[in-house]
Amino acid sequence: MKATFWSLCLSIIVTTALGQKPPVKFGEVPLEDVAMPFYEKDSSAAAVILADYGTSTIIYRQNMGFSLDFERVTRIKIFKKEGLEWGDFSIPLYKSGSADEKLTSLKAITYNLENGKIVESKLKNDGIFKESFDANRDYVKVTCPNVREGSVVEITYKVNSDSEFLFNFQDWSFQSAIPTILSEYRAAIPEYFNYDKYTQGYVPLTIADETQVPNSITLSSFERSGDRNIQSTHTSDKIDFMEARHRWVANHVPAFKPEPHMTSVSDYITKINFELSSIKMPNQPIRQIMGSWADINKTFSESDDCAGQISGNGFLRKITEEVTAGATTPEDKISAICNFVKQNVAWDGSQSLYARASLKKVLDDKKGNSAEINFLLGSMLDKADIPVLPVLLSTRNHGLLRIATPVASQFNYLICLAKVNDKSFLLDATERLLPTGILPQRCLNGQGFAVSKTGFQWIPLESKFKTRVVTSGDFRLTPGGELEGKLKLDCNGYIALQNRKKYLSDGESEYLKDFVGSHAWEIKSTEIQNAKEIQNNFIGVQDLVVNENMVTAGEMIYLDPFIHSSQKDNPFKSEVREYPVDFGSPLEETFFFKLTLPDGYVVDELPESKIISMPENGARYIYNVVQNGNLITVTSMFHINKSMFTQLEYPYLREFYNQIVAKQAELIVLKKK
């Protein structure tokens, strides 16, 4: 009987450094970098990235096949105390089952200038530790030694990813929270691997080159008989292929400064992203990796870990019958089930697409991750004969969903879509203090992917619910120059959620401290209504004395009526904005102020009433002041009528706020008789 085995040997020609000399070499730090007093292009910067250079190369290894090597050198100059955090690094490593990415060649040095000479402090083992993040990721944390103001820190490392992790081709960010002088990324990709590559951000790249380079692999095969006296035979085949070599460079990249009302920073920084689309090896059919949204829908709709969680879990049928016993309509059943889940299972704060524990254990333990809680919700709705679908989404801090790229890894969260006749309800049971039918703000991010055996559908994740807050004050001016009266806050939606969380978790004392803030108020009494009745508005009433908002100059009194809810500053400082303004949901803020004047005072001057509107009524502000005898009434109504404003609308939005700030700065002028 003849015994055979095969092994593949490789001879592959690769030019060093992807064809060009590296722009930076670890350990060779110029004296001028260490002596640099500040960065000329941004003297306010706490630190600057002097150089960030990375390479990703797909290579073939004996007995391993193709694998991915990533190598990086990063050098940072620290100027101020606020920049010391840049002496710490975090390196992500993926894992799957018994396979994991390997970190090697880790070195770090801190350079300090002492008596005109560079003194090096090298990284030791006590500055390195590994931290498990979740089931698929670990992080290696590195703390550079002897870091102080004026230091230069430098780190280098390699990450090897075997064929199982070829999907995780390293993305590259050219922009950071501090300025970057040089950022360069190179990649070598054999023709067998097709990656979708797309750039984002608003900083133009200095270089974006691609060249096709011929390369070759020599495969050697050996066949040996079981008889040691028979010599083995050897054959070899040379396989020629083309290799794409990429080079991207950005110079003098400004720090990315987050603006108000934006989603994840990762959506807007200048960056290049990779997604493995397909693999085509010699003499083999194309292996599609990316697939299509239809493929993703099929996977999730047939999976026991997704759709199966909703249709299964028969033990919930009896519980559901008890929970919905008094409900007479499908809407009542939805509300009863949502309230049951919210009151009986606490969210542990982790976001996931999958249940790590059985739903029975989740219910017994009274806590779970976001997927476990919403699977429990969906399964109970199913047992109540309410059609329900799982909806996959990407939360606001996870990033915008790219519909042109059908990759399931874009999703990190799951909610439920319940259907009753022609009505649809998007449901999430993680926030106990949100009314049924209002999604947490983290979920309001583009579109969701509803999974069904009959086909997927895209669901807009826009809040149809407008958050409203009404603040009303009824005050009188005392002869001593103080304002005495009541201030009432009446709110719903996300503003009510914030107030309820503060009041119920921290207590009334801390709630009032937060409510008063820096104001010079004396609170005589307070009353909170509907703190736990989440379907009703949260209401807070304070009986107080205001010792501010007035300036006396001789016989004149200058009064600012906005004792609360004023727009003192324009949140939109930049003249130009290169990304949308995302409020998450529409908003309406109303402020009523009534002031009763005592005898001996007359009105010398009142602000003029005014209406300010944006094009197409995207936002609107109404300001009105009326005097009737000794009673002055101020009405301020602020409306954001849509969730998203584009970059083209930004100048109008910024000017809209400018005018509101200016209008609310106008004073009521009183005069003593």
Side-chain angles (χ1 to χ4, degrees):
M1 183 175 178
K2 190 176 181 180
T4 63
F5 71 89
W6 293 83
S7 66
L8 295 178
C9 299
L10 173 74
S11 171
I12 184 168
I13 304 169
V14 180
T15 55
T16 305
L18 302 180
Q20 297 188 37
K21 182 181 178 181
V24 61
K25 186 175 181 180
F26 181 81
E28 297 182 1
V29 178
L31 177 63
E32 55 265 30
D33 282 356
V34 186
M36 182 188 296
F38 59 88
Y39 178 45
E40 290 184 355
K41 292 184 178 294
D42 185 355
S43 58
S44 66
V48 63
I49 298 174
L50 299 168
D52 193 14
Y53 172 59
T55 62
S56 285
T57 308
I58 296 178
I59 63 174
Y60 194 93
R61 287 189 171 91
Q62 182 74 24
N63 299 324
M64 286 183 59
F66 283 101
S67 62
L68 174 64
D69 280 358
F70 173 71
E71 187 171 358
R72 187 171 202 161
V73 179
T74 303
R75 185 180 298 164
I76 300 175
K77 170 70 180 184
I78 296 171
F79 300 115
K80 304 177 183 179
K81 181 179 180 181
E82 297 80 15
L84 294 178
E85 62 181 339
W86 291 92
D88 298 332
F89 297 87
S90 184
I91 305 168
L93 298 173
Y94 278 81
K95 56 185 178 181
S96 177
S98 60
D100 56 5
E101 293 184 315
K102 302 294 192 299
L103 177 67
T104 63
S105 304
L106 172 61
K107 293 182 287 185
I109 300 176
T110 302
Y111 304 89
N112 288 301
L113 197 61
E114 297 181 7
N115 299 320
K117 295 183 179 181
I118 297 177
V119 177
E120 298 182 3
S121 301
K122 295 184 179 181
L123 176 69
K124 297 181 180 179
N125 289 336
D126 60 1
I128 307 169
F129 66 95
K130 195 171 185 178
E131 181 179 280
S132 178
F133 180 76
D134 58 25
N136 300 112
R137 278 176 295 177
D138 291 331
Y139 280 89
V140 173
K141 302 293 183 71
V142 176
T143 299
C144 292
N146 200 24
V147 177
R148 57 180 184 257
E149 294 175 53
S151 298
V152 168
V153 295
E154 186 178 43
I155 188 171
T156 185
Y157 59 88
K158 297 178 182 179
V159 176
N160 174 253
S161 309
D162 63 26
S163 58
E164 188 169 345
F165 297 103
L166 284 173
F167 73 91
N168 188 35
F169 199 98
Q170 295 277 356
D171 300 334
W172 186 265
S173 297
F174 298 92
Q175 194 170 25
S176 182
I178 57 175
T180 301
I181 295 178
L182 168 67
S183 181
E184 180 166 340
Y185 188 42
R186 301 180 188 179
I189 305 173
E191 65 178 271
Y192 310 128
F193 302 93
N194 178 28
Y195 287 89
D196 278 2
K197 299 174 286 293
Y198 62 93
T199 55
Q200 63 175 60
Y202 302 93
V203 177
L205 298 182
T206 308
I207 297 173
D209 287 343
E210 176 184 353
T211 57
Q212 295 292 326
V213 178
N215 217 326
S216 64
I217 299 173
T218 300
L219 299 177
S220 299
S221 61
F222 298 86
E223 183 176 304
R224 180 178 299 158
S225 169
D227 187 344
R228 294 184 180 180
N229 295 318
I230 300 178
Q231 197 171 15
S232 63
T233 60
H234 169 267
T235 61
S236 63
D237 294 301
K238 181 181 179 183
I239 300 177
D240 296 319
F241 66 93
M242 298 299 293
E243 183 176 76
R245 295 189 182 168
H246 302 268
R247 182 181 179 221
W248 299 274
V249 179
N251 298 105
H252 296 291
V253 182
F256 183 88
K257 298 179 180 179
E259 295 276 359
H261 302 291
M262 62 180 294
T263 54
S264 172
V265 169
S266 64
D267 290 330
Y268 303 108
I269 61 172
T270 299
K271 182 181 180 183
I272 185 163
N273 304 274
F274 296 82
E275 293 288 353
L276 181 58
S277 176
S278 62
I279 300 174
K280 175 64 173 75
M281 302 306 292
N283 304 316
Q284 294 183 20
I286 293 177
R287 178 187 168 198
Q288 290 293 337
I289 304 297
M290 185 176 292
S292 66
W293 289 120
D295 296 332
I296 293 171
N297 176 71
K298 186 174 186 295
T299 298
F300 280 94
S301 64
E302 296 178 355
S303 170
D304 290 338
D305 293 331
C306 186
Q309 289 279 6
I310 291 176
S311 59
N313 297 292
F315 77 96
L316 289 171
R317 189 170 300 280
K318 183 178 180 181
I319 297 173
T320 302
E321 290 174 355
E322 295 172 353
V323 170
T324 60
T328 58
T329 66
E331 289 84 355
D332 290 340
K333 291 182 179 180
I334 290 173
S335 182
I337 292 170
C338 280
N339 288 335
F340 172 81
V341 175
K342 288 179 180 180
Q343 297 307 314
N344 286 276
V345 184
W347 180 39
D348 65 9
S350 61
Q351 301 174 2
S352 180
L353 284 178
Y354 304 102
R356 297 192 183 99
S358 70
L359 297 192
K360 188 175 188 309
K361 179 172 173 54
V362 170
L363 199 53
D364 289 342
D365 291 347
K366 295 186 178 298
K367 67 178 180 180
N369 66 30
S370 61
E372 289 162 350
I373 289 174
N374 287 327
F375 277 136
L376 178 61
L377 170 65
S379 191
M380 291 184 68
L381 291 170
D382 176 73
K383 305 307 175 287
D385 297 322
I386 294 172
V388 59
L389 300 176
V391 178
L392 316 181
L393 59 85
S394 174
T395 55
R396 291 171 71 85
N397 64 355
H398 187 251
L400 292 171
L401 189 69
R402 302 182 301 274
I403 294 180
T405 307
V407 177
S409 59
Q410 293 189 83
F411 302 118
N412 72 318
Y413 201 89
L414 178 144
I415 60 175
C416 295
L417 172 66
K419 295 188 176 183
V420 177
N421 299 323
D422 60 343
K423 294 182 180 179
S424 296
F425 301 88
L426 289 173
L427 304 170
D428 177 284
T430 60
E431 293 286 358
R432 290 183 173 182
L433 300 177
L434 265 183
T436 300
I438 301 179
L439 290 177
Q441 282 183 299
R442 61 179 169 272
C443 298
L444 304 179
N445 191 32
Q447 298 189 71
F449 184 74
V451 172
S452 170
K453 289 185 178 180
T454 59
F456 69 90
Q457 57 181 310
W458 292 106
I459 306 295
L461 297 173
E462 297 177 350
S463 177
K464 299 177 182 178
F465 181 87
K466 178 180 280 191
T467 294
R468 291 181 171 87
V469 54
V470 178
T471 307
S472 53
D474 191 348
F475 288 84
R476 66 181 183 89
L477 179 63
T478 69
E482 296 177 331
L483 297 177
E484 288 187 353
K486 292 184 182 296
L487 185 66
K488 179 181 179 181
L489 176 72
D490 187 332
C491 57
N492 64 8
Y494 303 115
I495 304 296
L497 174 66
Q498 295 170 13
N499 282 281
R500 284 191 169 101
K501 278 187 172 182
K502 187 69 179 178
Y503 182 79
L504 294 174
S505 63
D506 298 341
E508 184 174 288
S509 178
E510 287 299 313
Y511 167 79
L512 290 176
K513 187 184 296 184
D514 186 66
F515 181 76
V516 171
S518 60
H519 293 295
W521 294 349
E522 176 191 343
I523 297 181
K524 294 183 175 181
S525 65
T526 187
E527 178 188 0
I528 303 297
Q529 302 173 21
N530 305 327
K532 296 182 180 180
E533 293 74 25
I534 63 174
Q535 298 296 336
N536 299 325
N537 285 8
F538 178 92
I539 297 173
V541 182
Q542 281 77 40
D543 190 352
L544 52 82
V545 177
V546 176
N547 299 305
E548 56 186 8
N549 287 67
M550 288 180 296
V551 175
T552 300
E555 296 182 347
M556 311 299 289
I557 296 178
Y558 299 89
L559 171 67
D560 177 5
F562 286 92
I563 62 174
H564 193 267
S565 303
S566 61
Q567 190 72 51
K568 297 297 186 186
D569 297 298
N570 189 341
F572 303 109
K573 309 295 185 186
S574 302
E575 291 188 12
V576 178
R577 179 157 166 155
E578 297 175 322
Y579 38 86
V581 177
D582 188 343
F583 286 95
S585 63
L587 173 65
E588 182 179 306
E589 294 182 349
T590 302
F591 176 69
F592 295 116
F593 178 75
K594 290 198 298 185
L595 176 63
T596 301
L597 300 178
D599 292 338
Y601 288 84
V602 295
V603 175
D604 187 72
E605 184 179 341
L606 290 177
E608 294 183 359
S609 299
K610 189 172 185 178
I611 298 176
I612 308 168
S613 295
M614 281 190 64
E616 300 181 1
N617 201 36
R620 184 176 174 86
Y621 180 70
I622 301 172
Y623 182 84
N624 190 46
V625 183
V626 176
Q627 179 190 1
N628 186 5
N630 68 338
L631 180 65
I632 300 172
T633 303
V634 177
T635 302
S636 169
M637 301 180 69
F638 173 81
H639 298 259
I640 296 293
N641 295 321
K642 61 180 186 177
S643 301
M644 184 84 70
F645 293 83
T646 67
Q647 297 94 314
L648 295 178
E649 294 174 297
Y650 175 74
Y652 301 101
L653 183 64
R654 184 169 182 262
E655 180 57 26
F656 174 73
Y657 270 85
N658 276 336
Q659 293 191 39
I660 292 174
V661 170
K663 195 63 194 172
Q664 292 189 359
E666 296 178 4
L667 303 176
I668 295 173
V669 183
L670 306 176
K671 185 177 182 181
K672 294 181 181 179
K673 290 182 181 179

